């Protein structure tokens, strides 16, 4: 399988996020704990959004290529069909 280069920034961030947040329990009963939890959530969520946008872009490009492939095959098939008439 090929690597999806557009995902590399998120994969790199994942290592950092994991080292900082995996297993962390925030004390949300105090203001500083709640703020830290919100900050962590926003940071992690921002990378989810970046990943989703990259996925959509990568998929759009492959879908566009698929439509091109289909259109070109139809065009050639129509020419072949016209020879059979």
């Amino acid at each position: 399988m090929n690597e999806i280069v557009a995902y590399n920034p998120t994969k790199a961030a994942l290592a950092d996020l994991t080292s900082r947040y995996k297993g962390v329990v925030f004390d949300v009963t105090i203001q500083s704990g709640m703020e830290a939890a919100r900050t962590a959530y926003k940071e992690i969520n921002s990378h989810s959004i970046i990943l989703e946008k990259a996925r959509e872009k990568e998929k759009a490009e492959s879908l566009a290529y698929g439509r091109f492939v289909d259109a070109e095959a139809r065009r050639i098939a129509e020419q072949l069909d016209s020879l059979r008439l």
Side-chain angles (χ1 to χ4, degrees), residues 64-77:
Y65 180 72
R67 286 189 294 271
F68 167 73
V69 168
D70 291 344
E72 186 65 5
R74 274 191 303 275
R75 184 185 69 76
I76 295 168

Side-chain angles (χ1 to χ4, degrees), residues 25-35 37-38:
V25 177
F26 297 97
D27 184 358
V28 296
T29 63
I30 59 174
Q31 184 176 359
S32 62
M34 180 58 87
E35 289 173 4
R38 285 183 177 153

Side-chain angles (χ1 to χ4, degrees), residues 2 6 17-18 28 30 43 49-50 59-60 62 67 70 72:
N2 293 335
L17 294 169
T18 300
V28 296
I30 59 174
E43 185 176 10
I49 292 167
I50 290 167
K59 190 170 180 177
S62 67
R67 286 189 294 271
D70 291 344
E72 186 65 5

Side-chain angles (χ1 to χ4, degrees), residues 9-26 35-47:
T10 302
K11 290 186 332 190
L14 181 59
D16 175 54
L17 294 169
T18 300
S19 71
R20 291 190 292 134
Y21 297 125
K22 186 171 184 166
V24 173
V25 177
F26 297 97
E35 289 173 4
R38 285 183 177 153
T39 298
Y41 179 85
K42 286 179 184 178
E43 185 176 10
I44 294 165
N45 197 53
S46 72
H47 289 287

